Amino acid sequence: MSTQNSEQIEKHLLFNKKHLPFKKNRILQIILFLFLIGWVFTAIRPVNWTYYLLENIPMGLVIIILSIFYKRLKLSNFSYLLIAYPIKELLSQYTKLYTFWLYIFIFSLIVSLSGTFEIIEMWVHKITHPNNPEKHLGLHRDPFNSQKDMSMAWLGTFLAIVIMIIVNSRKKRR
């Protein structure tokens, strides 16, 4: 198979702009199947079912929302595969932000969502364990757990944006 043909197949499979119905989108079906397999394996004998459910409810809600709006959002399979890319695709479709400001907005949004998640986590702990501060949901006996989580979100978002810039620059060269 020639390089050009494989590039066209890759572009069609991951960056498809032609929105396929879910029943015909084999790549998206495979992505969903692999995700569900992983989710089932993580559900096998978790340390604490309550914490497992609390940590997985947000992801379940995201999957439900993406399923409901599948026809309307028209995201690429690449967006369903990655977490920061759908934000880029949606902002590119519905705003006039380009290049630098688009990436600054994406970075700011994801990092602020990370901080919001840490605050929600703290409030869930306060409600579920009002008299036991040592049993914090994500603390794991580390007083800097929240800061480390947010630092990893910062680093992960930064790396994802660098990858997006590289992928987009390669797409423009073709």
Side-chain angles (χ1 to χ4, degrees):
M1 183 185 306
S2 74
T3 306
Q4 187 177 9
N5 287 344
S6 64
E7 287 174 0
Q8 287 175 340
I9 291 170
E10 175 187 318
K11 185 176 181 182
H12 175 70
L13 295 177
L14 288 177
F15 298 103
N16 62 323
K17 290 300 175 186
K18 180 183 175 190
H19 193 67
L20 298 172
F22 182 76
K23 290 179 180 180
K24 293 184 180 182
N25 193 338
R26 294 287 178 230
I27 296 299
L28 186 55
Q29 292 172 8
I30 291 168
I31 290 169
L32 182 61
F33 177 75
L34 293 174
F35 175 78
L36 291 175
I37 293 287
W39 212 3
V40 167
F41 277 114
T42 62
I44 297 173
R45 296 176 48 194
V47 175
N48 185 310
W49 269 104
T50 304
Y51 293 161
Y52 175 82
L53 291 174
L54 285 172
E55 291 173 354
N56 283 275
I57 286 172
M59 183 54 66
L61 291 174
V62 167
I63 291 172
I64 290 168
I65 290 168
L66 288 174
S67 298
I68 291 170
F69 292 104
Y70 176 73
K71 289 181 182 178
R72 186 184 282 171
L73 291 177
K74 298 187 188 318
L75 297 172
S76 69
N77 288 334
F78 195 64
S79 280
Y80 288 105
L81 186 62
L82 301 177
I83 193 86
Y85 205 77
I87 294 170
K88 187 229 180 248
E89 280 190 359
L90 289 171
L91 288 173
S92 295
Q93 288 175 20
Y94 297 108
T95 70
K96 293 185 181 190
L97 293 172
Y98 296 104
T99 57
F100 177 77
W101 291 110
L102 177 66
Y103 293 117
I104 291 293
F105 189 82
I106 292 168
F107 181 82
S108 301
L109 179 64
I110 293 175
V111 171
S112 66
L113 286 173
S114 169
T116 301
F117 181 81
E118 293 300 325
I119 292 168
I120 292 169
E121 188 178 54
M122 183 254 326
W123 281 109
V124 167
H125 167 70
K126 288 251 184 221
I127 292 167
T128 58
H129 297 92
N131 299 321
N132 194 354
E134 292 81 32
K135 270 205 162 274
H136 184 279
L137 177 61
L139 198 57
H140 309 292
R141 296 190 177 137
D142 181 358
F144 296 106
N145 181 267
S146 295
Q147 293 87 341
K148 289 177 182 176
D149 288 351
M150 289 175 60
S151 296
M152 290 296 104
W154 189 97
L155 179 62
T157 303
F158 180 78
L159 292 174
I161 287 173
V162 168
I163 291 168
M164 280 190 270
I165 291 169
I166 292 168
V167 166
N168 288 328
S169 68
R170 285 186 178 178
K171 280 186 359 182
K172 285 180 184 177
R173 278 191 241 146
R174 290 182 188 164

